[in-house]
Amino acid sequence: MKLSAIPPLNPNPDPAMPIIQRQEITKLLSRIGDGEIAPVYLLVGERYLCRETAGQLITALLPEEEERPARLTVIDGEREDPARTLAGLRTYSLFGGRRVHQVVDSRLLFSKTVAKTLWEKAEKAAETEKKEAARLLLAMLGLAGLTPADWRQEQIAGLAAGAWQKLFGFTKPADTSWAEAILAEIDDQPVAAPAGAGDAAEAYIAALEKGLPPGNILLLLAETADRRKKLYKYLEKNAVIIDLSVDAGSSAPARREQKELLADLARRTLAGFGKKLAADALEPLLERIGFHPVAVVMETEKLALYVGERTTVDRDDVDAMVGRTREEAIFELSEAYSSGKLEQGLLLLERLQQGGMHPLAILGGLRNHLRKLLLTRAVIDGAATAFNPGTPFPAFQKNYLPRLKEERERGRGWPAAFAGHPYALYQLCLQAARLPPARLRGMLADLLRAEARLKGSGLPAATVMSALFLGGANHR
């Protein structure tokens, strides 16, 4: 059966088939239900959305749930053998009916032009999702035929800008240290090259031109795609392409699109549990998680289970259950500031500001954290049992913390600032033990001066904040 024999979604198609947007998926599913089936569907964009939409397509294409496992083949695109995939696609079913072959994380449409996108996504994921960052870095290395061992042995991070550009096809970033740290933890493994530099793509085109057996359907899921590639241009004319990309930038339109998407995911997830989100709970939920669709779904599911029989998730539930990602970032920033890690501190500072956090809010977070460190230092200095920074967390939790609580409750009471998980207090004690009170007070004075400059000097905020960290050397 030729591709042209499949009824197109548009009865009078242009040379390129119309690309389906996220808002049009419901209509597409309705058309599939009416029998308008394409032999190939290409889903390109945000990874979670691709997987979610693929699940909806599979349900529509294979409506008989009990038969679905036998009629669905899922292939890991990162380790795909294209010849084996095509052999399956060209095989006639003994029992007739539809069969769906889904290639997840396909690399067929990768090229060096997408290496920069992979790097940028990995850098963003590195802040909260190190496994995802590692996966993206491995994909980028695969474009150049490299392994993590090659990265280390060839000292790729130290390459000159021109050599980096030649290897990966984009300008060398100013900071590669975060990638260095992630790749150092990955055991060496072979990294699949992207689709055989055209051979696999040509094989796919040849197989699709010849025609697939009736009922065989291919789903390709790709985070990013080089639209100049021959296979993409072929699919534009002969397949259904679903664009699930989301602008991950920090511009107002991009942030608005991100918020709308995440809010929709949160509401739909709760609706699946028969629950809804209170009006004042959405903002803190999204602010704490950031643009991480998978995390939004997971945290929302956790909230749905947490509220039990109640039908509404409110602000108190969010406060109780959802991690404060920006507070964690402030903790890292204050540690970099107090430890004299200038480069790391400036990088964290830049990321927080790019994420939309106002400089005064950053100063407020640093000030609150430094005050908590002063209180922690006073508590551990005044305790009958000295705190040993070499104490592992299990011993801290089992032995030191109960003794400290008992001692405090006999005297001034347990500070409200110490409420929370024992591990957070353990980290506070470790950091406070390294910092003399005079140094902490000096840093607080610097914060006060920086705040006065932000409010009255007319200097650019970025200059004031950078000067704060540069001036921190006086207290080291």
Side-chain angles (χ1 to χ4, degrees), residues 89 102 108 133 141 144 175 209 240 247 269 326 335 352 366-367 393 397 410 424 440 446 476:
L89 279 169
Q102 180 184 224
L108 284 168
L141 290 179
D175 177 42
E209 283 282 10
V240 174
D247 187 347
T269 302
R326 287 199 177 182
E335 184 167 21
L352 281 172
L366 282 171
R367 181 170 55 250
F393 173 65
Q397 185 178 24
R410 290 199 304 264
L440 287 167
D446 282 352
R476 292 201 289 274

Side-chain angles (χ1 to χ4, degrees), residues 27-54:
K27 292 181 180 178
L28 173 63
L29 295 173
S30 177
R31 289 171 180 170
I32 290 174
D34 292 337
E36 292 188 16
I37 311 297
V40 184
Y41 295 86
L42 170 63
L43 286 63
V44 181
E46 208 286 323
R47 192 172 186 238
Y48 176 81
L49 296 181
C50 284
R51 294 192 173 203
E52 181 190 46
T53 304

Side-chain angles (χ1 to χ4, degrees), residues 252-306:
R255 292 172 66 82
R256 186 164 54 250
E257 181 185 10
Q258 293 165 22
K259 181 179 178 181
E260 289 172 358
L261 168 64
L262 297 178
D264 180 58
L265 285 174
R267 292 188 184 108
R268 284 196 286 118
T269 302
L270 284 176
F273 289 86
K275 303 184 188 302
K276 61 183 180 179
L277 197 65
D280 65 344
L282 179 63
E283 286 292 339
L285 174 67
L286 301 186
E287 189 273 339
R288 292 176 188 186
I289 297 174
F291 185 62
H292 300 289
V294 175
V296 166
V297 172
M298 292 178 65
E299 293 294 334
T300 310
E301 288 177 345
K302 186 167 69 176
L303 285 166
L305 296 172
Y306 173 72

